[in-house]
Amino acid sequence: MLTHNVISSHQHGFLSKKSTTTQLLECSYDWSVALTSVLYVDVVYLDYAKAFDSVVHSKLLAKLSHYGASGSVLIWIEKFLINRCQCVRVGNVLSEYADVVSGVVQGSVLGPVLFIVFINDMCNCIPGSTVLKLFANDAKLYTTVSGDGTCGDLQTCLSTVFKWSESQQLRLAPHKCAVMHLKPRRLNSQNDQIYSINNCALPVVDSYKDLGITYDKHLSYTPHVAY
């Protein structure tokens, strides 16, 4: 998949030579350039509820086929996914078994790879003025604000991502998403755009814990150092 550039370059999860560090470095570089130029950046952090458990097997297999998987490989992956069941154990008591009708097998080597294939075409929703960064299902969108048009593009992108998520049966939780307006201290009085998903306004935060690192709206890591 990497050899043939199947997986988007914006995905940093479960890939060779990529990590939380590479994703954060790419973002902080873009943001630092903008803030040094006395511009500000709107960042939207997306939250998917139970994303790994929500993968629809038929959709995943269709995507694998689209990306070139076929024959015995595709059949093997299908057999790996289907006809599974699970139960809950409390002490020595087991619940009744229930069929597993969706999701990738967590704790397996193949599961994370199948998930990043499943979410990969999300990158096709992103216009040129907006940047998407992924670490598995952790997603953030951002744009350098140079006028009303860029804010509108980010809002349009959010609406497109929501529609894509609904079509994939991945559930976005707007109340758990967040917006941060990164800006130089001299632009602290700048009016901020309100963003929404499915007509639900997203909460605005002054600091955010992103892949284990906390920074504030001035791109200061003081909150992380203090913690």
Side-chain angles (χ1 to χ4, degrees):
M1 289 188 296
L2 293 175
T3 302
H4 297 285
N5 297 318
V6 170
I7 301 300
S8 168
S9 61
H10 297 307
Q11 175 63 260
H12 290 254
F14 309 115
L15 296 172
S16 175
K17 299 181 181 180
K18 291 199 172 186
S19 64
T20 55
T21 302
T22 59
Q23 202 238 58
L24 289 168
L25 282 172
E26 288 185 8
C27 294
S28 62
Y29 175 80
D30 290 346
W31 300 342
S32 296
V33 168
L35 269 60
T36 301
S37 302
V38 199
L39 297 171
Y40 67 101
V41 181
D42 284 351
V43 187
V44 180
Y45 303 90
L46 302 178
D47 186 279
Y48 283 100
K50 299 181 179 179
F52 279 74
D53 294 329
S54 302
V55 173
V56 178
H57 295 157
S58 59
K59 295 179 186 289
L60 172 58
L61 293 168
K63 292 182 183 189
L64 286 167
S65 177
H66 172 75
Y67 290 134
S70 61
S72 58
V73 172
L74 192 60
I75 293 171
W76 183 84
I77 293 174
E78 180 180 10
K79 298 298 183 186
F80 176 72
L81 292 170
I82 65 173
N83 295 326
R84 288 181 173 271
C85 58
Q86 63 184 10
C87 68
V88 177
R89 179 172 184 160
V90 179
N92 294 322
V93 181
L94 296 178
S95 70
E96 294 183 1
Y97 280 87
D99 293 331
V100 178
V101 296
S102 65
V104 295
V105 183
Q106 297 191 48
S108 66
V109 174
L110 190 58
V113 177
L114 293 176
F115 182 82
I116 63 173
V117 170
F118 184 77
I119 204 172
N120 190 58
D121 58 327
M122 178 184 181
C123 303
N124 299 333
C125 304
I126 313 304
S129 61
T130 303
V131 179
L132 168 69
K133 294 296 181 185
L134 293 166
F135 188 87
N137 63 311
D138 285 317
K140 57 178 171 276
L141 299 162
Y142 62 87
T143 188
T144 300
V145 178
S146 55
D148 293 338
T150 48
C151 294
D153 288 345
L154 181 53
Q155 178 57 63
T156 300
C157 181
L158 272 174
S159 300
T160 304
V161 168
F162 173 74
K163 291 177 182 177
W164 175 87
S165 303
E166 290 290 290
S167 71
Q168 303 304 310
Q169 295 172 253
L170 293 175
R171 186 163 56 87
L172 271 173
H175 64 286
K176 291 185 178 180
C177 298
V179 176
M180 187 153 67
H181 303 285
L182 288 169
K183 60 187 71 176
R185 295 183 188 278
R186 71 187 77 174
L187 291 181
N188 208 34
S189 61
Q190 176 74 39
N191 292 330
D192 296 327
Q193 174 76 18
I194 297 174
Y195 295 99
S196 62
I197 293 177
N198 196 28
N199 296 319
C200 178
L202 301 182
V204 177
V205 296
D206 290 333
S207 64
Y208 193 84
K209 187 175 183 179
D210 185 5
L211 299 178
I213 303 297
T214 303
Y215 46 85
D216 67 17
K217 64 182 181 181
H218 301 302
L219 198 55
S220 167
Y221 296 94
T222 300
H224 186 80
V225 175
Y227 175 78

